[in-house]
Amino acid sequence: MFGGKLSDLQLECINLILDECEVNDVGDLRHIAFIFATAYHFTDNPHNSEQQILTPAIERGASFTLKGMAVYPYYSRGYCIIRGKHLYRRESERTTHDLIYDPDLLLIPSIASNSIVYGMANGVYFGRRLDQFISGKMADYNKASRVVGDIKNRFAVSKLAVRFEYWLRGSAIDSDLIYII
């Protein structure tokens, strides 16, 4: 899944996400798998050899491209799409970190981990929670992308979520569950 050995930073980031899942009572492995899939997709940047998968990242694009964005300097950082001053303000109020003054604080693994787990579990970003799409015997990973507003990448993230669930379970996917990818 990770193409070989993980760095110490990657292991730290994985553990921070798992710790945040525990703190925020996110116990459904499918929720955790989808959180990891979202973080993995957002941080997988083949054009940046310095970027390690599952470590907080800046939205893809060269600096000059990002400066030209309407949401500059509040483009996405961390593990998922948090774009726009209103979302940065909301996260600042919730976390007590001044993300308006210093948006790069979302590149700190502990802050990024808290933001993605809390945000996806509680519908902070777009008013949709993971349990609206993944609960009981149903796992609609495709529609779960609405939690972070990333509809265009839903199929890639859905496939990753199934792989992460398999990885987290350490065995075959539960055949009694219904998956929509």
Side-chain angles (χ1 to χ4, degrees):
M1 168 139 240
F2 300 105
K5 186 179 183 221
L6 294 170
S7 72
D8 290 341
L9 178 59
Q10 287 172 305
L11 288 172
E12 176 190 349
C13 292
I14 288 169
N15 285 322
L16 284 167
I17 290 172
L18 289 171
D19 290 347
E20 283 298 330
C21 287
E22 187 175 341
V23 166
N24 287 284
D25 292 323
V26 177
D28 188 324
L29 284 180
R30 298 166 303 163
H31 290 196
I32 298 168
F34 195 80
I35 290 167
F36 272 116
T38 301
Y40 186 102
H41 180 78
F42 185 74
T43 62
D44 181 19
N45 188 349
H47 304 293
N48 182 355
S49 60
E50 298 294 315
Q51 174 60 42
Q52 297 181 57
I53 292 173
L54 289 176
T55 62
I58 292 176
E59 186 171 349
R60 291 182 191 138
S63 298
F64 67 89
T65 304
L66 295 174
K67 286 183 180 176
M69 293 177 71
V71 294
Y72 185 84
Y74 304 107
Y75 50 80
S76 296
R77 293 172 178 84
Y79 287 125
C80 65
I81 298 173
I82 300 177
R83 193 180 288 148
K85 192 172 186 176
H86 67 290
L87 289 176
Y88 274 82
R89 180 176 289 116
R90 194 179 305 162
E91 275 299 279
S92 288
E93 291 167 359
R94 187 187 68 76
T95 64
T96 69
H97 297 290
D98 192 351
L99 299 172
I100 297 296
Y101 175 73
D102 188 0
D104 283 341
L105 288 173
L106 274 173
L107 295 173
I108 297 172
S110 59
I111 296 172
S113 298
N114 174 267
S115 182
I116 191 172
V117 173
Y118 184 88
M120 292 178 80
N122 294 288
V124 168
Y125 306 124
F126 295 94
R128 307 277 181 125
R129 301 177 320 273
L130 282 175
D131 64 5
Q132 292 176 277
F133 306 102
I134 305 167
S135 65
K137 291 190 177 239
M138 178 65 88
D140 191 338
Y141 287 141
N142 192 1
K143 286 185 181 172
S145 291
R146 295 177 182 175
V147 172
V148 292
D150 190 16
I151 304 303
K152 71 178 183 175
N153 295 306
R154 66 186 180 270
F155 299 116
V157 175
S158 295
K159 290 176 184 177
L160 282 168
V162 171
R163 291 178 63 199
F164 269 103
E165 184 179 346
Y166 180 83
W167 177 70
L168 287 165
R169 289 185 189 279
S171 62
I173 298 292
D174 188 341
S175 61
D176 290 336
L177 299 175
I178 300 166
Y179 295 92
I180 300 172
I181 57 171

